[in-house]
Amino acid sequence: MARSRSSSRWRYLSISYYLKRPKRLALLFIVFVSLSLVVWDRLTITREHEIEISKLSEELIRLQEQLRDMNNSPSDNADDDLVDKHRREKVKEAMLHAWTSYEKYAWGSDELQPISKKGVDNFGGLGATIVDSLDTLYILGLDEQFKKARDWVANSLNFNKNVDTSVFETTIRVVGGLLSAYDLSGDKIFLEKAKDIADRLLPAWNTPSGIPYNRINLAYGNAHNPGWTGRESVLADSGTEQLEFIALSQRTGDPKYQQKVENVIQQIRKTFPNDGLLPIFINPHTGNSHSTITFGAMGDSFYEYLLKVWIQGNKTEEVKHYREMWETSMEGLQSLVRKTKSSSFTYICEKNGDSLNDKMDELACFVPGMLALGSSGYELDKQAKIFSLATELAWTCYNFYQSTPTKLAGENYFFHTGQDMSVGTSWNILRPETVESLMYLWRFTENTTYQEWGWNIFQAFEKNCRVESGYVGLKDVNNGDKDDTMQSFFLAETLKYLYLLFSPPTVISFDEWVFNTEAHPLRIVPRDDAGKTQVSF
C-alpha cells in the first residue's frame, strides 16, 4: 500500500499525465506564469529600490555639500529672507558696476570721474578707491576683483611720493583699508603696506603737545597744518587715528603707533570739559581748543572713536576712560538736541559760544548708529533713553532724504521757527552716514522698517546717481544736476553698509569686529592689564 501511494504521487511529475488532462495543463501553465511574474516583480522592485536609494544618497551628498557651502558663505544662509537676498544681490551688482567702471577708466588713480571717464588723484595718488574697496570686495564675495586689487597693492602701491596728503584721510582710508583686508584675508602684504604708510605718517605727531599736524609730505615727513584752519589742528582729524594705529601695534607688536595716538587722548583729558563737548580747532602747541562745537564736519568722528576704542579694547579696564569720556560727551550731546513743533523732528544743533545754531549736517547722521552701539553699556533706564534718542534722530535723517524731489539728502539742513527742515547746502556726494545708522538700528532691533528705509535710499541712488560709467553725486538734490566724481567712500562705506543692512547679523558680527569711520572692519583683540595686546589670527 505504501509503495502504491508513492507511485500515485510521482505521476504528477509526468508530462504524459498532463497531456491527457488539458485543463490541468492549463492550470499548471497559469500557476507557472503567475509565479514568474511575482518573482520578476520582486526583482524589479529590488532594482528600482536600489536605484532610488542611490539617488537619495546622491541627493544627501549634494545637500551636505550645499550646507557646507552655506556655512562657508554667510551671504547665502538657509534662513535668509528671499527679499533680503534679492536686495543684497542688487547692491552687489551696484558695487560691481562701480568697480568695473573705475577699473576701466581710472585704474590706479584715487577716484573716477564717471562723466569725463578719467581718473583723478585727490589723495596723493595712492589708489584710494582700490585700497578703500578691498574689504567690500572681500565681504561681497567678488573674489576675482579682490585678487586683482590685491596684486595691485603688492606690485604697484608706492608711498614714496613727494606729495602733501591729509593724515586723517590717509589713516582712515589707506591704513584702515589695508588693516581690514589683512584681518579678513590674513594676507601679510596688506600688513606690510599698512606699516609702511603709517611710518611715513608718524612725524605728524612730533608737536609740543602731541596733538598731530593734519598734513604731511610722504617722502620727506614735513608736517604742517593748512592755512584755512589758521594753522590749527582739527578735532576730528586729530582724534580719529586711534583705532587704526592701535590695531597696527596689535598686529605688528610694535607699541610706537599706539603710544602716539593714545597720547593725544591723554592730552585732551587734561582739559576735557564737563559737558564733553570740544570745539573743532586745537592748537598743536598748547592743546587749547576754540571755535564751533558740532557733531558734523570736523567734530564728528572724534566722539565716534571714544566709543569704538573702548569696544576695540574688549571693554577692559585699560580702555575704561574712553567709555567715560564718551558718556560725558553724550550728556553734552543731549544739551544740543532740539525738536520741531510741527512734525517733532529731533535734530542736533551746533554751538558757537553760548548760542545754538539750528543746523545739522548729514554727516551727523552717524550719531543714531553710534548711540545704538553704545547704549548697551548703560544701566537699563539710561539705555532705553539713549536708544530712543537714536531712533528719533534716525527718523529725522531718513526724512533728510524723503524731503527732497530726488529723495536724496542735501549736505546740511536748517530748522527754522514754525518749519520742519529746509536744505542748506544742496549737494549730495554719495555719503553713507544715514544708511550706516540704519544698519546698526536694524541689527539691534530686527525692525525691518530700517531695511525698507535703506532700500528706498538705495533706489534713489540708482535712479539719480547711476550713469554709464559708475556713480556720481548731485550738485543739487532739488533738480538732480549731476557732478563728476565717484567718491571712494561710496564703495568703501555706502554700498558696504547697504549690503550689510540686507545680510544676516553674523556677517561681520559686532561681537568680533568694530568699524572704523571709513567702514573698514577691524577685528576686536583683547588688551591685557599692561596695555599689551594678544593677537591671534
CSV table of all heavy atoms in Angstrom, one decimal, residues 311-331:
chain,number,residue,atom,x,y,z
A,311,ILE,N,35.3,99.6,22.6
A,311,ILE,CA,34.9,98.3,22.1
A,311,ILE,C,36.1,97.5,21.5
A,311,ILE,O,36.2,96.3,21.7
A,311,ILE,CB,33.8,98.6,21.0
A,311,ILE,CG1,32.6,99.2,21.6
A,311,ILE,CG2,33.5,97.3,20.2
A,311,ILE,CD1,31.6,99.6,20.6
A,312,GLN,N,37.0,98.2,20.8
A,312,GLN,CA,38.1,97.6,20.2
A,312,GLN,C,39.0,96.9,21.3
A,312,GLN,O,39.6,95.9,21.1
A,312,GLN,CB,39.0,98.6,19.5
A,312,GLN,CG,40.3,98.1,18.9
A,312,GLN,CD,41.2,99.2,18.3
A,312,GLN,OE1,41.3,100.2,19.0
A,312,GLN,NE2,41.7,99.0,17.2
A,313,GLY,N,39.1,97.6,22.5
A,313,GLY,CA,39.8,97.1,23.6
A,313,GLY,C,39.1,96.0,24.4
A,313,GLY,O,39.5,95.7,25.6
A,314,ASN,N,38.0,95.5,23.9
A,314,ASN,CA,37.2,94.5,24.5
A,314,ASN,C,36.6,95.0,25.8
A,314,ASN,O,36.3,94.2,26.7
A,314,ASN,CB,38.0,93.2,24.7
A,314,ASN,CG,37.2,92.0,24.7
A,314,ASN,OD1,36.2,91.9,23.9
A,314,ASN,ND2,37.5,91.0,25.4
A,315,LYS,N,36.4,96.3,26.0
A,315,LYS,CA,35.7,96.9,27.1
A,315,LYS,C,36.4,96.6,28.4
A,315,LYS,O,35.8,96.5,29.5
A,315,LYS,CB,34.3,96.4,27.2
A,315,LYS,CG,33.5,96.7,25.8
A,315,LYS,CD,32.1,96.1,25.8
A,315,LYS,CE,31.4,96.2,24.5
A,315,LYS,NZ,30.1,95.7,24.4
A,316,THR,N,37.7,96.5,28.4
A,316,THR,CA,38.5,96.2,29.6
A,316,THR,C,38.8,97.4,30.4
A,316,THR,O,38.6,98.6,29.9
A,316,THR,CB,39.8,95.5,29.2
A,316,THR,OG1,40.6,96.4,28.3
A,316,THR,CG2,39.6,94.2,28.5
A,317,GLU,N,39.4,97.2,31.5
A,317,GLU,CA,39.8,98.3,32.4
A,317,GLU,C,40.8,99.3,31.7
A,317,GLU,O,40.7,100.5,32.0
A,317,GLU,CB,40.4,97.8,33.7
A,317,GLU,CG,40.6,98.8,34.8
A,317,GLU,CD,39.3,99.4,35.4
A,317,GLU,OE1,38.3,98.7,35.3
A,317,GLU,OE2,39.4,100.5,35.9
A,318,GLU,N,41.6,98.8,30.9
A,318,GLU,CA,42.6,99.6,30.2
A,318,GLU,C,42.0,100.7,29.3
A,318,GLU,O,42.6,101.7,29.0
A,318,GLU,CB,43.5,98.7,29.3
A,318,GLU,CG,44.6,98.0,30.1
A,318,GLU,CD,45.6,99.0,30.7
A,318,GLU,OE1,46.2,99.8,30.0
A,318,GLU,OE2,45.8,98.9,32.0
A,319,VAL,N,40.8,100.4,28.8
A,319,VAL,CA,40.1,101.4,27.9
A,319,VAL,C,38.9,102.0,28.6
A,319,VAL,O,38.1,102.7,27.9
A,319,VAL,CB,39.8,100.7,26.6
A,319,VAL,CG1,41.1,100.5,25.8
A,319,VAL,CG2,39.0,99.4,26.8
A,320,LYS,N,38.7,101.9,29.9
A,320,LYS,CA,37.6,102.4,30.5
A,320,LYS,C,37.4,103.9,30.4
A,320,LYS,O,36.3,104.4,30.3
A,320,LYS,CB,37.6,102.0,32.0
A,320,LYS,CG,36.4,102.4,32.8
A,320,LYS,CD,36.5,102.0,34.3
A,320,LYS,CE,35.3,102.4,35.1
A,320,LYS,NZ,35.5,102.0,36.5
A,321,HIS,N,38.5,104.6,30.4
A,321,HIS,CA,38.5,106.1,30.3
A,321,HIS,C,37.9,106.5,29.0
A,321,HIS,O,37.3,107.6,28.9
A,321,HIS,CB,39.9,106.7,30.6
A,321,HIS,CG,40.9,106.3,29.6
A,321,HIS,ND1,41.5,105.0,29.6
A,321,HIS,CD2,41.5,107.0,28.6
A,321,HIS,CE1,42.4,105.0,28.6
A,321,HIS,NE2,42.4,106.2,28.0
A,322,TYR,N,38.1,105.8,28.0
A,322,TYR,CA,37.4,106.1,26.7
A,322,TYR,C,35.9,106.1,26.8
A,322,TYR,O,35.2,107.0,26.3
A,322,TYR,CB,37.9,105.2,25.6
A,322,TYR,CG,39.2,105.4,25.0
A,322,TYR,CD1,40.3,104.7,25.6
A,322,TYR,CD2,39.5,106.3,24.0
A,322,TYR,CE1,41.6,104.8,25.1
A,322,TYR,CE2,40.8,106.5,23.5
A,322,TYR,CZ,41.8,105.8,24.0
A,322,TYR,OH,43.1,105.9,23.6
A,323,ARG,N,35.4,105.1,27.4
A,323,ARG,CA,34.0,105.0,27.6
A,323,ARG,C,33.5,106.1,28.5
A,323,ARG,O,32.4,106.7,28.3
A,323,ARG,CB,33.6,103.6,28.3
A,323,ARG,CG,32.1,103.5,28.7
A,323,ARG,CD,31.2,103.2,27.5
A,323,ARG,NE,29.8,103.4,27.9
A,323,ARG,CZ,28.8,103.0,27.2
A,323,ARG,NH1,29.0,102.3,26.1
A,323,ARG,NH2,27.6,103.2,27.6
A,324,GLU,N,34.2,106.4,29.6
A,324,GLU,CA,33.8,107.5,30.5
A,324,GLU,C,33.8,108.9,29.8
A,324,GLU,O,32.8,109.6,29.9
A,324,GLU,CB,34.7,107.6,31.7
A,324,GLU,CG,34.6,106.3,32.6
A,324,GLU,CD,35.7,106.3,33.7
A,324,GLU,OE1,36.7,107.0,33.5
A,324,GLU,OE2,35.6,105.5,34.6
A,325,MET,N,34.8,109.1,28.9
A,325,MET,CA,34.8,110.3,28.2
A,325,MET,C,33.6,110.4,27.2
A,325,MET,O,32.9,111.4,27.0
A,325,MET,CB,36.1,110.5,27.4
A,325,MET,CG,37.3,110.7,28.3
A,325,MET,SD,38.9,110.7,27.3
A,325,MET,CE,38.8,112.2,26.4
A,326,TRP,N,33.3,109.2,26.6
A,326,TRP,CA,32.2,109.2,25.6
A,326,TRP,C,30.9,109.5,26.3
A,326,TRP,O,30.0,110.2,25.8
A,326,TRP,CB,32.2,107.8,24.9
A,326,TRP,CG,31.1,107.7,23.9
A,326,TRP,CD1,31.1,108.2,22.7
A,326,TRP,CD2,29.8,107.0,24.1
A,326,TRP,NE1,29.8,107.9,22.0
A,326,TRP,CE2,29.1,107.2,22.9
A,326,TRP,CE3,29.2,106.3,25.1
A,326,TRP,CZ2,27.8,106.7,22.7
A,326,TRP,CZ3,27.9,105.8,24.9
A,326,TRP,CH2,27.3,106.0,23.7
A,327,GLU,N,30.7,108.9,27.5
A,327,GLU,CA,29.4,109.1,28.2
A,327,GLU,C,29.3,110.6,28.6
A,327,GLU,O,28.1,111.1,28.5
A,327,GLU,CB,29.3,108.2,29.4
A,327,GLU,CG,29.1,106.7,29.0
A,327,GLU,CD,28.7,105.9,30.2
A,327,GLU,OE1,28.5,106.4,31.3
A,327,GLU,OE2,28.7,104.6,30.1
A,328,THR,N,30.3,111.2,29.0
A,328,THR,CA,30.3,112.6,29.3
A,328,THR,C,29.9,113.4,28.0
A,328,THR,O,29.1,114.3,28.1
A,328,THR,CB,31.7,113.1,29.8
A,328,THR,OG1,32.0,112.4,31.0
A,328,THR,CG2,31.7,114.6,30.1
A,329,SER,N,30.5,113.1,26.9
A,329,SER,CA,30.1,113.7,25.7
A,329,SER,C,28.7,113.5,25.2
A,329,SER,O,28.0,114.4,24.7
A,329,SER,CB,31.1,113.3,24.5
A,329,SER,OG,32.4,113.6,24.8
A,330,MET,N,28.1,112.3,25.6
A,330,MET,CA,26.8,112.1,25.2
A,330,MET,C,25.8,112.9,26.1
A,330,MET,O,24.7,113.2,25.7
A,330,MET,CB,26.5,110.6,25.3
A,330,MET,CG,27.2,109.7,24.3
A,330,MET,SD,27.0,110.3,22.6
A,330,MET,CE,28.5,111.2,22.3
A,331,GLU,N,26.2,113.2,27.3
A,331,GLU,CA,25.4,114.1,28.1
A,331,GLU,C,25.4,115.5,27.5
A,331,GLU,O,24.4,116.2,27.4
A,331,GLU,CB,26.0,114.2,29.6
A,331,GLU,CG,25.8,112.9,30.4
A,331,GLU,CD,24.3,112.6,30.6
A,331,GLU,OE1,23.6,113.6,30.9
A,331,GLU,OE2,23.9,111.4,30.5
